[in-house]
Amino acid sequence: MIRHLLSAGDLSREDATLVLDTAEEMARLTEGRAVKKLPALRGRTVVNLFFEDSTRTRTSFELAAKRLSADVVNFSAKGSSLSKGESLKDTALTLEAMGADGVVVRHSASGAPYRLATSGWINASVLNAGDGTHEHPTQALLDAFTMRRHLGELSGKRIVIVGDVLHSRVARSNVLLLATLGATVTLVAPPTLLPMGVEQWPCEVTFDLDAALSGADAVMMLRVQSERMKDAFFPSAREYSRRYGLDARRQALMPPEALVLHPGPMNRGMEITAEVADSDRSVIVEQVTNGVYVRMAALYLMLAGTAGTTTPEEAA
């Protein structure tokens, strides 16, 4: 297992499968138990360093680390020295002085986790919890984990990703990881919401959502990230929904066993209707649950798994 988890593209097929298999083991060892804690990371310190607000992701990482019995410290930009202008380097040196073993970092600047991991400022393992519009590798891993639980191995499966690809770190990480796992990925988006260079990504691109749905094993809707849009990327929310939203009519075009995913939070009524989001094909709530298992697996493999200190089975 790699020391840092910065990009889904850094994972080999063996690495990715190891994370997914370990997450399955974490689920098996904790599901249905009154006490869900494992002692695997006892004595280790995990710091959640969030320069960008995200209650859902931070809580998921915090819960994952605590279920492994790690000591958890939360740093957020608001109300801390980070909001007073402290540099990334000084923050790293502070964490190093405190003895952090793992740093989970979210930053609005693409590449900030890479800088933290490679600068030599810190010896801790660094896990990218989302950087700018670049990547969000654990979201891609939990999406793959969720799909694998329903569809089996993902090699040969057809995954359709729809919406605001331009601002989505989730889309990029998913395309890289799913290609590594042997799946075929199709991106569907308005031309204005596709990034430059997307033709170099290992995926197909189309503007016709109805046509893409017919052969899909899973359809992943992306959130329209209005807060990152300084220009008009589409005429109106109604027009976007009409062309690229998933409603009951379009769901009927999908094969009966095809899944519906969304990384959340959802704009109900825009990229997905409430009827589809709450349907029996939707695994959106399950994605949240599986996020904890996948993050437990990633933290365990980065901080303890390679040291051979204990296996998840021994830790139960």
Side-chain angles (χ1 to χ4, degrees):
M1 180 68 182
I2 58 177
R3 183 180 172 216
H4 307 292
L5 180 52
L6 305 175
S7 164
D10 292 340
L11 295 171
S12 66
R13 190 164 185 163
E14 290 72 24
D15 286 335
T17 301
L18 176 61
V19 175
L20 300 181
D21 290 344
T22 305
E24 198 65 64
E25 189 72 357
M26 294 295 178
R28 187 183 70 79
L29 293 172
T30 55
E31 276 180 339
R33 287 178 49 157
V35 178
K36 300 182 185 301
K37 277 202 169 187
L38 306 175
L41 294 186
R42 183 178 292 162
R44 303 296 184 96
T45 300
V46 175
V47 176
N48 291 326
L49 183 60
F50 275 54
F51 293 83
E52 197 179 57
D53 290 338
S54 175
T55 302
R56 296 161 57 99
T57 303
R58 186 190 56 74
T59 303
S60 182
F61 273 109
E62 183 175 356
L63 191 56
K66 286 182 174 177
R67 283 192 180 174
L68 294 169
S69 301
D71 297 318
V72 181
V73 179
N74 292 316
F75 274 90
S76 64
K78 287 183 179 176
S80 72
S81 55
L82 303 176
S83 65
K84 300 170 186 172
E86 184 176 79
S87 68
L88 183 62
K89 178 179 180 178
D90 287 334
T91 301
L93 294 176
T94 299
L95 298 179
E96 180 69 11
M98 290 179 177
D101 298 295
V103 178
V104 178
V105 59
R106 171 173 285 219
H107 203 290
S108 59
S110 299
Y114 178 84
R115 177 67 170 155
L116 191 62
T118 60
S119 61
W121 302 328
I122 192 169
N123 289 316
S125 293
V126 176
L127 196 160
N128 180 4
D131 60 331
T133 59
H134 180 225
E135 281 221 44
H136 195 352
T138 57
Q139 178 68 46
L141 285 162
L142 76 87
D143 292 336
F145 179 78
T146 303
M147 288 186 276
R148 197 178 75 155
R149 279 193 140 187
H150 288 269
L151 304 174
E153 293 302 319
L154 298 181
S155 180
K157 297 292 189 294
R158 295 187 61 84
I159 315 300
V160 177
I161 301 176
V162 187
D164 184 2
V165 178
L166 177 64
H167 301 102
S168 177
R169 48 200 173 204
V170 174
R172 184 190 300 266
S173 288
N174 263 291
V175 167
L176 294 173
L177 180 65
L178 290 169
T180 298
L181 293 173
T184 299
V185 182
T186 301
L187 295 178
V188 186
T192 52
L193 288 178
L194 286 170
M196 291 182 64
V198 71
E199 64 276 5
Q200 305 298 323
W201 294 16
C203 63
E204 302 168 355
V205 179
T206 180
F207 308 121
D208 188 343
L209 177 55
D210 285 4
L213 293 175
S214 61
D217 292 294
V219 178
M220 184 183 304
M221 305 305 295
L222 300 172
R223 184 172 69 86
V224 177
Q225 301 189 40
S226 304
E227 74 278 9
R228 297 183 189 273
M229 297 180 183
K230 295 181 173 58
D231 298 306
F233 288 86
F234 45 84
S236 66
R238 174 176 293 187
E239 176 67 9
Y240 179 91
S241 182
R242 188 179 71 80
R243 294 286 304 276
Y244 299 100
L246 187 61
D247 56 15
R249 181 190 71 79
R250 286 201 166 108
Q251 190 181 39
L253 300 176
M254 297 162 51
E257 69 283 0
L259 305 175
V260 175
L261 298 97
H262 192 300
M266 293 180 282
N267 295 312
R268 288 179 181 245
M270 190 172 182
E271 65 253 5
I272 189 169
T273 64
E275 182 181 9
V276 175
D278 299 331
S279 71
D280 56 5
R281 292 199 203 177
S282 168
V283 292
I284 295 169
V285 175
E286 194 178 324
Q287 287 175 266
V288 178
T289 302
N290 292 340
V292 178
Y293 301 141
V294 165
R295 284 158 182 150
M296 288 175 72
L299 290 170
Y300 168 77
L301 289 169
M302 291 172 66
L303 301 182
T306 54
T309 52
T310 182
T311 67
E313 186 72 40
E314 292 167 344

